[in-house]
């Protein structure tokens, strides 16, 4: 616990309704996903990290990762609920997920249109010549 918030990587603690509500209404990158899609992603996640108001199960931040468990991880669905931003929660989520987690030595990747400054603090940068990306077959939802 720190500054009224606690970070926990127990997937059983994640309130799926809260994650679904935020992703389906606030996330520019996820509003097209059906509830069953989000549940499947949570079920298959290699790791999830939640930020909670201290002493409660109120989720105020979240991050999910998919991984091969050996060398590579994909960071996804990182968010901090409005009203709790500016408290360092995003940094604490990232530190718990990447630096302090079992994937500290992995090659990490993410796709984002914002918060580049946060991610750069954890070593994310523009891809080098070894990276290629295939765009989604679905039309992008903005």
């Amino acid at each position: 616990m720190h500054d009224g918030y606690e970070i926990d990587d127990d997937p059983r603690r994640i309130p799926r309704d809260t994650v679904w509500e935020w992703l389906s209404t606030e996330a520019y990158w996820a509003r097209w996903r059906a509830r069953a899609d989000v549940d499947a992603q949570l079920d298959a996640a290699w790791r999830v990290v939640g930020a909670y108001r201290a002493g409660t199960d109120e989720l105020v931040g979240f991050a999910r990762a998919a991984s091969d468990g050996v060398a590579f991880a994909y960071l996804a669905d990182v968010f901090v609920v409005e009203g709790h931003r500016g408290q360092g929660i995003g940094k604490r989520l990232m530190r718990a997920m990447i630096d302090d987690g079992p994937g500290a030595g992995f090659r990490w990747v993410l796709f984002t249109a914002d918060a580049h400054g946060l991610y750069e603090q954890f070593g994310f940068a523009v891809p080098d010549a070894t990276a290629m990306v295939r765009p989604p077959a679905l039309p992008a939802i903005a």
Side-chain angles (χ1 to χ4, degrees), residues 2-3 5 83-90 92:
H2 173 70
D3 294 337
Y5 299 99
H84 298 276
R85 295 176 186 156
Q87 307 294 315
I89 294 170
R92 291 181 60 208

Side-chain angles (χ1 to χ4, degrees), residues 2 10 19-20 28-29 74 82 93 97 107-108 112 123 136:
H2 173 70
D10 183 349
V19 172
W20 161 248
Y28 67 85
W29 67 88
Y74 171 72
E82 192 171 344
L93 283 169
M97 178 64 84
R107 182 177 195 177
W108 284 83
T112 186

Side-chain angles (χ1 to χ4, degrees), residues 5-6 8 10 13-20 22 49-53 56-63 79-82 84 89 93:
Y5 299 99
E6 59 186 287
D8 191 352
D10 183 349
R13 189 172 178 194
I14 298 294
R16 289 171 174 244
D17 289 341
T18 304
V19 172
W20 161 248
W22 201 92
V49 177
Y52 303 87
R53 188 185 300 269
T56 74
D57 285 328
E58 179 188 353
L59 185 76
V60 299
F62 176 79
F79 68 83
V80 175
V81 174
E82 192 171 344
H84 298 276
I89 294 170
L93 283 169

Side-chain angles (χ1 to χ4, degrees), residues 3-121:
D3 294 337
Y5 299 99
E6 59 186 287
I7 304 297
D8 191 352
D9 65 352
D10 183 349
R12 297 168 299 181
R13 189 172 178 194
I14 298 294
R16 289 171 174 244
D17 289 341
T18 304
V19 172
W20 161 248
E21 181 180 335
W22 201 92
L23 290 176
S24 66
T25 61
E26 301 293 325
Y28 67 85
W29 67 88
R31 285 187 225 134
W32 60 267
R33 295 182 201 161
R35 173 64 190 254
D37 295 332
V38 172
D39 284 336
Q41 289 174 318
L42 290 171
D43 290 340
W46 170 69
R47 191 153 191 258
V48 292
V49 177
Y52 303 87
R53 188 185 300 269
T56 74
D57 285 328
E58 179 188 353
L59 185 76
V60 299
F62 176 79
R64 175 178 67 84
S67 175
D68 64 5
V70 176
F72 176 82
Y74 171 72
L75 180 66
D77 298 334
V78 178
F79 68 83
V80 175
V81 174
E82 192 171 344
H84 298 276
R85 295 176 186 156
Q87 307 294 315
I89 294 170
K91 288 181 186 179
R92 291 181 60 208
L93 283 169
M94 294 296 295
R95 190 173 302 111
M97 178 64 84
I98 295 174
D99 291 340
D100 298 338
F106 290 5
R107 182 177 195 177
W108 284 83
V109 66
L110 80 143
F111 296 95
T112 186
D114 58 8
H116 291 92
L118 169 65
Y119 300 121
E120 288 168 350
Q121 294 176 49

